[in-house]
Amino acid sequence: MADSEKKPTPENMTMMQAFEWYVPDDHKHWKRLHDQAAQLKATGVDNIWIPPGCKASSPSGNGYDIYDLYDLGEFDQKGSKGTKWGTKDELLALVSKANEVGLGIYWDAVLNHKAAADHKERCEAQEVDEEDRNKTVSDPYEINAWLGFDFPGRGEKYSEQKYHWYHFSGTDYNADNNKTAIYKILGDKTKGWAKGGDVDGEKGNYDYLMFADLDYSHPEVEADVLAWGLWLSKQITLKGIRFDAVKHFSEDFLRKFITSMDEEHGKGWFFVGEFWKDSLDDMSRYLERMGKKFSLFDAPLVYNFSQMSKTEDADLRKVFDNTLVAIEPVNAVTLVMNHDTQPHQALEAPIEGFFKPLAYALILLRSSGYPCLFYGDMYGIDPKGTAQSFPPACGGALPNLVLARKLYAYGEQQDYFDYATCIGWVRLGTWDKRWGCAVVLSNAGPGEKRMWVGEMHAGEIWTDVLGWEKGEVKIGDDGFGMFTCPGISLSVWVNKDAEGREKFGKFDADIYKS
């Protein structure tokens, strides 16, 4: 078949979480991302997951303490017009710039709860056990709880819906006695926790997570949030949505939400859920129930990275054992780090810094999974020099790994997982992305692998695009080369004359222009 008749090879796609918990509280983040859009796209980032852009409980709130879905930084509510990230106008300017350069936007939807109610309301409730939410630990009694949401700054613009006690299934504070507990709301207008199977079964029934827990069995709640999804998609050009805390709210509602978006805008949206759990069976069953229209973050892979980074001479050949990407490669979003290390999350397993280059190579340069970069690893964490601060990961080389994925990590993958502390693989390229690459990594001493890249490369000179391993490799007439890497490091070998080699080392990580 002539090349002109062959189908072009689809480009490798990469997403980036475009924030971290300690981003400066200066309300300039939308502007920062606006100014970074072109550089990110040129580096090989195709879509960015932006932080929750709805009004939070305070001007400093990261958005997971959500107050009003319909306020994107437009109304003077909860102490400011803008959110921590900026105003709605600045958000729209970011989206416009992203569209201009071809960078997709994923919204972070926080649909499980509401925070910072406008007034208290009285309702009947019952305390439940923290570890078994199906077990009551008090008789029913009347509480005075922050459950009334009037949105006075917005009024009835965009939505006339107000929220009252009967729109929620639970809360965590009784103002009558200043007691903090988990309260299941009772009464003829509410049905308690979501029915078994509609939320995760951890802690008996994991419907309740925090704040005022929305009850999606109430038709007004369902209708208002479905309407919000369609409204949001008309306000902002989006490519997808990341759903927060999906194991805590109704699967049935989420399926309706996704179907509604598909029917309005056509298929092709990307949907991913935060289902942070180490049970691979639970994750796989969740994907089955969602009809495979959905992706999940590969939490078990992060645990593997964490354990290997803390284990001397860990067996790298087992890195993908019991991971989502191994059994659901199309529906797995692979990652190394994310933002959320709060107590309610399972992610309290940071990865040692030396291991991050290896981990990122394992998600970026292989054929399975949809890799997600972490803002803090691209740009560093918290420039103010507090205890949480650290510089960009991988010695600043992460953008080079992303670019290597975009340019060279194509075609058949051949693995050389034949030694515990030194593994390698080759991507053989395709008819129109022919360069390919050879990757070697070690978590012990210097490593080497004799690997086959194909007779079509005979006589070529290959070098490490990262510049960490010096020297050259000449590909033999048989298509083999002896590829090496430094100790506790990696190398990514590509023809020294390959198209795009001049683009490496150009990324400017100083997003705060210090």
Side-chain angles (χ1 to χ4, degrees), residues 314-506:
D315 190 342
L316 296 173
R317 296 170 298 184
K318 298 180 179 180
V319 68
F320 294 111
D321 287 2
N322 302 309
T323 60
L324 189 64
V325 72
I327 64 168
E328 304 281 1
V330 174
N331 299 90
V333 174
T334 53
L335 71 164
V336 175
M337 285 283 288
N338 79 359
H339 66 295
D340 206 336
T341 56
Q342 288 184 303
H344 72 271
Q345 293 290 356
L347 179 56
E348 295 182 354
I351 294 168
E352 299 296 332
F354 82 88
F355 198 82
K356 282 187 178 181
L358 283 65
Y360 271 112
L362 286 160
I363 69 170
L364 287 167
L365 302 178
R366 296 180 60 78
S367 58
S368 296
Y370 180 16
C372 180
L373 313 171
F374 179 46
Y375 174 98
D377 287 337
M378 287 287 278
Y379 295 104
I381 293 281
D382 183 26
K384 293 175 288 188
T386 64
Q388 294 84 14
S389 296
F390 61 80
C394 308
L398 180 53
N400 289 337
L401 284 171
V402 180
L403 191 56
R405 170 179 174 78
K406 178 60 75 174
L407 295 175
Y408 309 128
Y410 294 95
E412 182 183 345
Q413 178 175 287
Q414 295 189 351
D415 287 340
Y416 294 78
F417 281 32
D418 51 6
Y419 193 77
T421 59
C422 180
I423 61 174
W425 65 90
V426 168
R427 301 298 300 276
L428 293 176
T430 64
W431 73 272
D432 57 342
K433 295 183 182 295
R434 65 185 185 84
W435 300 107
C437 63
V439 184
V440 184
L441 54 87
S442 169
N443 62 340
E448 66 176 17
K449 294 285 178 190
R450 184 174 183 267
M451 301 191 294
W452 184 80
V453 297
E455 291 90 342
M456 63 282 199
H457 296 294
E460 294 179 358
I461 304 298
W462 288 31
T463 58
D464 177 18
V465 299
L466 303 177
W468 291 350
E469 185 68 303
K470 308 304 178 183
E472 300 177 337
V473 172
K474 184 176 182 180
I475 308 303
D477 291 342
D478 57 0
F480 279 89
M482 182 63 76
F483 300 98
T484 59
C485 73
I488 314 180
S489 187
L490 77 145
S491 55
V492 182
W493 297 86
V494 176
N495 184 325
K496 71 181 182 65
D497 297 318
E499 183 179 348
R501 289 293 300 253
E502 74 285 353
K503 297 179 180 180
F504 287 81
K506 302 293 177 63

Side-chain angles (χ1 to χ4, degrees), residues 111-174:
L111 306 181
N112 177 71
H113 52 263
K114 288 188 177 296
D118 298 304
H119 63 267
K120 298 188 288 289
E121 293 187 352
R122 307 196 72 83
C123 63
E124 189 175 32
Q126 197 167 17
E127 296 174 31
V128 301
D129 187 274
E130 171 75 28
E131 298 304 318
D132 182 357
R133 310 298 172 73
N134 292 321
K135 179 181 178 182
T136 59
V137 294
S138 78
D139 293 330
Y141 66 98
E142 189 176 79
I143 66 172
N144 194 22
W146 291 96
L147 296 170
F149 292 80
D150 297 327
F151 315 116
R154 175 170 60 82
E156 296 186 349
K157 188 172 183 180
Y158 304 134
S159 171
E160 298 179 358
Q161 181 66 49
K162 312 301 180 186
Y163 284 77
H164 302 285
W165 67 268
Y166 47 81
H167 293 121
F168 302 98
S169 60
T171 190
D172 62 357
Y173 179 73
N174 178 14

Side-chain angles (χ1 to χ4, degrees), residues 28-162:
K28 296 179 180 178
H29 198 59
W30 297 147
K31 291 181 178 179
R32 277 190 285 269
L33 295 179
H34 171 281
D35 294 344
Q36 288 292 309
Q39 176 176 236
L40 287 169
K41 181 64 177 179
T43 303
V45 176
D46 301 282
N47 299 288
I48 56 172
W49 150 27
I50 62 174
C54 301
K55 185 60 60 71
S57 65
S58 76
S60 300
N62 279 339
Y64 298 103
D65 52 337
I66 186 168
Y67 166 68
D68 186 1
L69 282 170
Y70 288 93
D71 183 357
L72 307 183
E74 182 178 359
F75 305 100
D76 188 0
Q77 301 188 114
K78 298 302 167 185
S80 68
K81 177 181 177 182
T83 66
K84 173 180 177 176
W85 319 109
T87 66
K88 181 179 180 179
D89 286 343
E90 291 162 349
L91 171 61
L92 293 177
L94 159 61
V95 173
S96 177
K97 182 66 174 181
N99 291 339
E100 176 188 321
V101 302
L103 186 67
I105 300 287
Y106 295 159
W107 190 262
D108 196 336
V110 183
L111 306 181
N112 177 71
H113 52 263
K114 288 188 177 296
D118 298 304
H119 63 267
K120 298 188 288 289
E121 293 187 352
R122 307 196 72 83
C123 63
E124 189 175 32
Q126 197 167 17
E127 296 174 31
V128 301
D129 187 274
E130 171 75 28
E131 298 304 318
D132 182 357
R133 310 298 172 73
N134 292 321
K135 179 181 178 182
T136 59
V137 294
S138 78
D139 293 330
Y141 66 98
E142 189 176 79
I143 66 172
N144 194 22
W146 291 96
L147 296 170
F149 292 80
D150 297 327
F151 315 116
R154 175 170 60 82
E156 296 186 349
K157 188 172 183 180
Y158 304 134
S159 171
E160 298 179 358
Q161 181 66 49
K162 312 301 180 186

